[in-house]
Each structure stands twice: as structure tokens, then as C-alpha cells.
Amino acid sequence: MTIQWFPGHMAKARRQVTEKLSLIDIVFELVDARIPASSRNPMIDEIIKNKPRLLLLNKADMADPKITKEWLEYYKENGVHALAINSQAGNGMKQIVSESKLILKDKFDKMAAKGIRPRAIRSLIVGIPNVGKSTLINRLAKKNIAQTGDRPGITKSQQWIKVGKELELLDTPGILWPKFEDQEVGLKLATTGAIKDTILNLQDIAVYALRFLEENYPEALKDRFNLEEIPEDIVSLFDEIAKRRGSMMSGGLIDYDKTAELIIREIRTEKLGRLTFEQP
Ligand SMILES: Nc1nc2c(ncn2[C@@H]2O[C@H](COP(=O)(O)OP(=O)(O)O)[C@@H](O)[C@H]2O)c(=O)[nH]1
Ligand SMILES: [Mg+2]
């Protein structure tokens, strides 16, 4: 999957979400708990308008629990309904249903008062690529409907998935684009694996990640790479990591690309523990 968004793609993605909005009661906006701001679509408010929304911080199992709590408090203070979930393990699935019922209580009460027969809440998942949309759909459906990972999905007509008696979900999610203009946002998306490495320079990503770790998670950095102290300059830090891991070229020169790749891979596979890259 290479994400190359062009204005045409963006317009199409936007149109597809807009078309589905009329069918549903609530939008589940999926973001990555490690980068709750950077993994949002910059135009989401404009696209969704005043359709009721539940923000889902997915991959919470990979995020720093302390900061996730801060994000949830921040959303609460700002009147945003939000939950931290783990779609892979299925944590938070029941809360999605109960929170949706709460958000839509007034609407459904009014419908009942008009004598309209009670029905299930209709929902749609939206989010940027790789945030876990297909994984969440499969979790809620309790079977494999959507393709996960890097494989391209097979296009088929959309259908409603029943999630118990109270919720229905469109089986094709709305795919949105991330923010690209901001360099730091791009680096965060790359560090967490939301966008392919080929878009940005591998060493740039690793330098960003190391500086971030140095600042925010120095102990994790030291522990993982057996460092007594973190060297002042970034090249020395690279060198130390490379030497410890033997990522050298012939002649004893440091292989910086290989070292960068190793650093990024270990962050993505949680070898440095649970990390969050931005705070509210
Ligand atoms: N650790 C963890 N991994 C997840 C979670 N949700 C999805 N993933 C993984 O993230 C990757 C992308 O998921 P996918 O559902 O294909 O994302 P989509 O592009 O939004 O449909 C897959 O490798 C999933 O296994 C989660 O809550 N926790
Ligand atoms: Mg998918």
C-alpha cells in the first residue's frame, strides 16, 4: 500500500464518506492512540458536519496508558465522546455500543415518542489507512469480513453488519487521508507505521524518533540499546546503537540505513514499550 493522495483522490474519498452519511446515525472516527491528533483527517469536521460522532483511540495497547488517560480527559472537557480501544484483542467493544446508545438517546427517544418502531443504531467507521478499520469491523462482526493488513480489499456492494441487536455497521469503512503538509505530522505517521517508509527518508524518521525518545522516554532508549548515557549528538547515538547491534558495512563503517530501519522496526514492534508521540 502506497498512499499517494492527490486532490482527485481526496475528493473521491470525501464524496464516498459524504454519500454514506445519509444512511447512518453515528460516525465512529478511528484514530491511532499513539498519535491521536496526527492520525486524524484535517477536514473531518467539515466532512462529517454535525453528524453524531464517537472518537475511537485504537491500538491503545501500544500507547502510553498515562497519556491515553490525559487525552480522554481532554476530550471529555471539550465535549468530545471518546473511548480507548484495542480492536485486535477486542477490548472496548461493549463500550462502543453503550456509548453510542448514550449519544443517540435523545434522537431515539424522540423517534419513539412519534411512534416510530425502535431499530438498531446505524454506524460507519471512518479513518486514515492502517488505523485498524478492518480489524475493528471484523471484531464487531465477530467474523472475518474485511481484509486486514496490506492486502487490497475486494470491492463489493456494501452491506449492514449486525453487532448484537442494537447496532448495525456498514461493512465498508470510509477511508480518509492524513495530513501531509506538516513535516512533523508526516514523521509521526511514519514512525508509527501509518504511512510507508518510502514516502520519507528512513534516516530522517529514525532521527526524529530518537530525538523524541531522548526527550520523552530516555530510560526506554537506554534500556533497549544498553546505553549508560545517551550521547549528546545524534550521530554518536546512531553509532552507539549500530555498534551494539552490529549494523556495520564491510570495513567497519556504520550502515546508517540499516540502523535506522532497526530503530524504527523496534519502535513499531513495541520493543521500547508503549509509546505515545503527542500530548493533548
Ligand atoms: N496492536 C494493535 N494492532 C492493531 C489494532 N488494530 C489493528 N491493528 C493492526 O494494525 C494493522 C492495520 O489494521 P487494518 O485493520 O488492516 O487497518 P485499516 O487499513 O484501517 O483497515 C494490522 O496489522 C492490524 O493487525 C489494535 O487495536 N492493536
Ligand atoms: Mg482495511
Side-chain angles (χ1 to χ4, degrees):
M1 172 196 63
T2 340
I3 320 165
Q4 283 285 14
W5 288 103
F6 298 108
H9 287 140
M10 297 196 189
K12 189 174 172 221
R14 186 184 177 143
R15 197 163 54 240
Q16 282 173 344
V17 171
T18 307
E19 276 166 8
K20 288 174 185 167
L21 284 180
S22 61
L23 305 172
I24 56 148
D25 302 303
I26 188 165
V27 172
F28 297 145
E29 184 192 352
L30 208 54
V31 297
D32 188 321
R34 295 168 296 173
I35 44 169
S38 297
S39 57
R40 289 186 94 173
N41 172 281
M43 311 233 289
I44 189 79
D45 294 338
E46 214 183 291
I47 296 170
I48 292 178
K49 301 205 172 66
N50 47 18
K51 182 67 74 177
R53 192 190 326 177
L54 176 57
L55 188 63
L56 300 173
L57 278 65
N58 194 38
K59 308 194 187 186
D61 55 304
M62 301 182 87
D64 185 330
K66 198 173 135 265
I67 305 179
T68 300
K69 220 172 133 225
E70 288 171 19
W71 275 107
L72 291 175
E73 277 159 19
Y74 165 82
Y75 292 129
K76 200 170 178 186
E77 280 163 19
N78 288 280
V80 175
H81 301 280
L83 295 172
I85 63 166
N86 170 356
S87 298
Q88 208 164 52
N91 299 336
M93 301 301 114
K94 284 206 179 86
Q95 287 94 307
I96 293 177
V97 179
S98 55
E99 191 69 19
S100 300
K101 282 171 71 179
L102 214 64
I103 295 168
L104 292 165
K105 191 176 181 305
D106 277 358
K107 178 178 174 177
F108 278 69
D109 281 352
K110 275 181 195 144
M111 279 161 55
K114 282 186 199 156
I116 298 168
R117 208 157 53 92
R119 60 165 173 81
I121 292 169
R122 294 180 191 135
S123 62
L124 168 72
I125 293 171
V126 304
I128 65 169
N130 243 338
V131 79
K133 297 179 297 300
S134 301
T135 307
L136 177 59
I137 289 171
N138 291 337
R139 261 295 150 196
L140 289 171
K142 295 200 175 78
K143 58 186 167 205
N144 285 353
I145 290 174
Q147 295 253 1
T148 58
D150 263 356
R151 290 158 296 172
I154 301 149
T155 317
K156 52 178 170 38
S157 63
Q158 66 187 19
Q159 282 174 355
W160 293 103
I161 297 163
K162 284 199 192 315
V163 185
K165 287 198 178 78
E166 297 169 304
L167 185 71
E168 285 177 9
L169 178 67
L170 275 179
D171 67 348
T172 37
I175 301 168
L176 300 170
W177 61 98
K179 295 171 233 181
F180 281 116
E181 306 78 29
D182 186 321
Q183 170 79 354
E184 194 173 337
V185 171
L187 288 166
K188 286 178 187 173
L189 289 165
T191 304
T192 53
I195 56 176
K196 278 278 170 209
D197 304 331
T198 46
I199 293 181
L200 293 167
N201 178 286
L202 217 55
Q203 290 181 32
D204 287 346
I205 304 167
V207 165
Y208 164 78
L210 286 179
R211 289 219 166 100
F212 176 83
L213 291 169
E214 212 178 325
E215 184 86 9
N216 298 278
Y217 297 97
E219 292 311 314
L221 185 60
K222 282 196 228 168
D223 284 355
R224 182 63 196 168
F225 299 113
N226 292 314
L227 306 164
E228 298 251 318
E229 291 300 327
I230 300 171
E232 283 282 322
D233 71 288
I234 202 79
V235 179
S236 306
L237 178 54
F238 252 85
D239 291 353
E240 290 301 316
I241 294 172
K243 279 181 211 154
R244 279 164 176 74
R245 292 307 175 80
S247 43
M248 321 288 271
M249 297 186 286
S250 57
L253 293 171
I254 307 280
D255 186 335
Y256 286 104
D257 269 340
K258 197 172 159 194
T259 311
E261 206 182 319
L262 176 154
I263 293 162
I264 298 162
R265 188 176 58 240
E266 299 209 347
I267 290 172
R268 288 185 189 164
T269 52
E270 278 181 280
K271 297 293 189 302
L272 285 97
R274 298 168 72 171
L275 307 172
T276 297
F277 295 88
E278 55 198 14
Q279 292 175 10

